């Protein structure tokens, strides 16, 4: 029996008949073995339905994704019941496409890995229910995946990265700094105290009505803001990075968003524009906001590096810092982090943009990592549940704050 979180609402449970129909679409050979460990990864934590098949050598054998971006752009944000229904409609097709592209039959899978935490409850429920029905029919192991762990470990698919390394995970729903010491061994150094940077950038883009800009109409909020910022002057407005006096590795973006809202309102009055109309200062505001967010992320990352070195948690030279998550696709933010890397003699590694946003590949790869390490591989799934809110690793952010490390001022010449 599944134990459900009370916030989950109606739990989507595909019928046994539908799963059997799904499996009949394949050239099904019970008992056939594949040469390598092969994992099917399923991701439905937010608004993308994604699946992929990855083997233990790191080869991506097949993948498929259905994006809900255009639907949610029209509603001005993600509506959980809408996201849930779209996941329901597309999950079987997406998994089938990923398996078909891989030319791996379901019987050849070593395990199925699925995001179960954190994320939108209604979305997580769809992926978990489908996966549990699938592994029950196939009699395969199930590997529950922490979404942020998957983001952190994706870099090990694309680069030869050993533990330990520092991970900055930035997206529309999350913002944290963690030291990765092993596949399932993380120390949390700091996290956002309010909203995530991707959420903040999306809200600023909506407040600037960038959907009405001819160059940005088909872009997500964060993409539109980054695109328009290239045309603006970041120094036109003096926006202060948040929490400058707090000597910790936590983040905050809600105060900056409030300041920007007031700024946009002021410019609308000055230019005689109604809300929804494009401002002539939109590009400058976008550039200033992006620069301020980048500086905030860079300064907290700088302190995390110094703290880890002080405690001998990272090598004194040639330490690796990984930036992942949707916001890590922002090239301006990567350049700001590059300034810190130069000052601290660290190496910044980022997965390619397609692997920074939510995808099935990172889930399948996390499954491979856990399968190799023998961690969290379940042969019994009774009682497994999804968790909309879940921390990553052991929280040592208080130790970071007590260390009160001062960081040198760097010129962010980007």
């Amino acid at each position: 029996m599944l134990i459900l979180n009370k916030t989950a609402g109606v739990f989507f449970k595909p019928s046994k008949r539908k799963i059997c129909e799904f499996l009949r679409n394949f050239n099904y050979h019970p008992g056939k073995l594949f040469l390598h460990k092969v994992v099917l990864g399923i991701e439905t934590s937010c608004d993308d339905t994604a699946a992929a098949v990855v083997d233990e050598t790191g080869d991506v054998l097949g993948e498929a994704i259905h994006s809900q971006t255009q639907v949610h752009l029209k509603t001005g944000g993600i509506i959980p019941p809408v996201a849930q229904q779209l996941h329901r409609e597309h999950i079987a097709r997406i998994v089938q496409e990923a398996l078909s592209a891989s030319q791996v039959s379901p019987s050849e899978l070593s395990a199925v890995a699925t995001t179960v935490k954190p994320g939108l409850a209604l979305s997580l429920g769809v992926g978990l229910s489908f996966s549990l029905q699938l592994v029950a029919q196939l009699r395969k192991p199930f590997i529950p995946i922490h979404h942020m762990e998957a983001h952190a470990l994706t870099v090990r698919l694309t680069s030869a990265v050993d533990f330990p390394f520092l991970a900055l995970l930035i997206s529309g729903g999350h913002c944290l700094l963690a030291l990765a010491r092993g596949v399932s061994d993380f120390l949390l150094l700091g996290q956002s105290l309010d909203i995530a940077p991707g959420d903040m950038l999306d809200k600023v883009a909506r407040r600037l009505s960038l959907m009405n800009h001819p160059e940005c109409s088909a872009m997500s909020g964060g993409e539109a803001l980054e695109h328009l910022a290239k045309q603006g002057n970041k120094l036109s407005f003096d926006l202060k990075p948040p929490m400058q006096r707090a000597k910790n590795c936590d983040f905050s973006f809600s105060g900056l968003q409030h300041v920007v809202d007031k700024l946009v309102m002021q410019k609308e009055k000055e230019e005689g524009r109604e809300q929804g109309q494009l401002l002539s200062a939109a590009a400058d505001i976008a550039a200033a906001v992006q620069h301020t967010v980048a500086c905030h992320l860079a300064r907290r990352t700088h302190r995390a590096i110094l703290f880890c070195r002080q405690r001998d948690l990272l090598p004194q030279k040639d330490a690796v810092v990984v930036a992942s998550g949707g916001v890590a696709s922002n090239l301006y933010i990567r350049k700001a982090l590059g300034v810190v890397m130069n000052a601290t003699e660290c190496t910044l590694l980022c997965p390619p943009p397609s692997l920074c946003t939510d995808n099935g590949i990172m889930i399948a790869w996390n499954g491979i990592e856990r399968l190799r390490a023998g961690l969290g591989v379940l042969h019994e799934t009774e009682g497994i549940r999804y968790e909309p809110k879940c921390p990553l690793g052991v929280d040592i952010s208080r130790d970071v704050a007590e260390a009160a490390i001062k960081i040198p001022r760097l010129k962010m010449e980007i």
Side-chain angles (χ1 to χ4, degrees):
M1 180 178 177
L2 294 173
I3 302 172
L4 306 183
N5 189 293
K6 291 182 180 180
T7 62
V10 180
F11 191 71
F12 167 59
K13 187 175 182 180
S15 67
K16 188 174 180 180
R17 178 179 59 81
K18 285 185 177 179
I19 292 294
C20 290
E21 288 176 0
F22 169 81
L23 291 173
R24 277 199 295 271
N25 289 323
F26 298 93
N27 190 11
Y28 189 48
H29 304 291
K32 183 180 177 183
L33 295 176
F34 200 67
L35 292 177
H36 303 293
K37 288 184 174 68
V38 182
V39 171
L40 167 67
I42 298 175
E43 157 64 17
T44 63
S45 67
C46 190
D47 61 337
D48 286 332
T49 311
V53 180
V54 177
D55 74 10
E56 63 181 327
T57 69
D59 283 342
V60 179
L61 305 177
E63 68 166 317
I65 187 166
H66 177 265
S67 174
Q68 301 178 10
T69 299
Q70 294 306 312
V71 172
H72 298 303
L73 277 175
K74 294 175 183 176
T75 57
I78 298 170
I79 300 174
V82 174
Q84 178 193 44
Q85 183 57 36
L86 290 171
H87 284 308
R88 287 177 175 177
E89 292 172 3
H90 296 283
I91 187 167
R93 175 181 63 83
I94 290 301
V95 173
Q96 182 176 334
E97 287 180 5
L99 282 166
S100 296
S102 72
Q103 298 186 329
V104 175
S105 78
S107 63
E108 295 172 315
L109 294 171
S110 304
V112 174
T114 302
T115 306
V116 300
K117 57 187 176 184
L120 298 177
L122 295 178
S123 296
L124 289 169
V126 176
L128 177 57
S129 182
F130 182 90
S131 301
L132 292 181
Q133 292 279 345
L134 187 59
V135 296
Q137 288 293 307
L138 294 173
R139 296 181 180 179
K140 297 290 183 180
F142 178 66
I143 307 175
I145 298 296
H146 191 300
H147 186 75
M148 304 314 292
E149 179 181 300
H151 272 306
L153 297 182
T154 301
V155 72
R156 285 166 52 86
L157 172 67
T158 57
S159 306
V161 180
D162 294 326
F163 298 109
F165 60 85
L166 181 65
L168 171 67
L169 307 180
I170 42 179
S171 68
H174 303 279
C175 181
L176 61 88
L177 276 161
L179 181 74
R181 300 193 297 183
V183 171
S184 185
D185 184 3
F186 290 84
L187 297 179
L188 181 66
L189 305 176
Q191 61 188 324
S192 178
L193 302 178
D194 37 64
I195 62 175
D199 183 26
M200 183 257 178
L201 294 172
D202 284 345
K203 287 176 178 175
V204 171
R206 284 200 295 273
R207 186 64 185 86
L208 288 171
S209 305
L210 297 190
M211 260 198 74
N212 299 329
H213 195 289
E215 297 176 16
C216 305
S217 58
M219 298 178 182
S220 68
E223 288 176 314
L225 193 134
E226 180 181 7
H227 176 79
L228 199 61
K230 295 174 184 175
Q231 306 167 26
N233 179 3
K234 66 189 177 188
L235 302 178
S236 294
F237 301 98
D238 185 21
L239 300 178
K240 303 295 185 186
M243 301 179 68
Q244 291 191 86
R245 295 183 180 179
K247 294 183 177 64
N248 56 35
C249 287
D250 289 326
F251 304 85
S252 174
F253 298 94
S254 60
L256 177 59
Q257 184 195 322
H258 179 65
V259 169
V260 175
D261 284 345
K262 290 175 65 176
L263 173 61
V264 173
M265 189 181 301
Q266 176 189 332
K267 299 307 291 184
E268 284 172 344
K269 287 181 181 179
E270 291 177 5
E271 295 185 17
R273 307 285 176 114
E274 296 290 331
Q275 186 169 334
Q277 293 181 314
L278 290 171
L279 291 169
S280 63
D284 289 340
I285 294 173
V289 169
Q290 179 178 250
H291 180 70
T292 306
V293 169
C295 289
H296 185 38
L297 293 170
R299 287 179 63 82
R300 297 339 239 188
T301 303
H302 194 173
R303 178 172 286 111
I305 293 168
L306 297 181
F307 173 82
C308 288
R309 282 181 169 166
Q310 184 187 85
R311 300 295 175 93
D312 289 325
L313 297 171
L314 275 177
Q316 296 301 315
K317 287 188 176 181
D318 302 322
V320 171
V321 178
V322 171
S324 190
V327 177
S329 300
N330 184 299
L331 296 181
Y332 189 89
I333 288 173
R334 290 192 186 191
K335 289 178 182 177
L337 293 171
V339 173
V340 174
M341 299 305 111
N342 290 336
T344 55
E345 297 183 346
C346 291
T347 299
L348 178 68
L349 294 177
C350 305
S354 63
L355 295 182
C356 280
T357 53
D358 294 348
N359 61 88
I361 294 173
M362 71 179 193
I363 305 305
W365 176 250
N366 199 168
I368 288 288
E369 292 262 34
R370 283 183 163 269
L371 201 59
R372 282 175 176 168
L375 295 168
V377 181
L378 307 180
H379 296 274
E380 287 291 334
T381 58
E382 185 176 354
I384 189 69
R385 68 179 187 182
Y386 53 87
E387 301 175 57
K389 293 184 179 180
C390 182
L392 177 66
V394 177
D395 188 347
I396 62 165
S397 57
R398 183 173 294 180
D399 293 343
V400 178
E402 288 175 355
I405 295 173
K406 286 187 176 182
I407 56 174
R409 187 172 296 276
L410 301 177
K411 287 187 177 181
M412 286 293 171
E413 296 176 349
I414 309 169

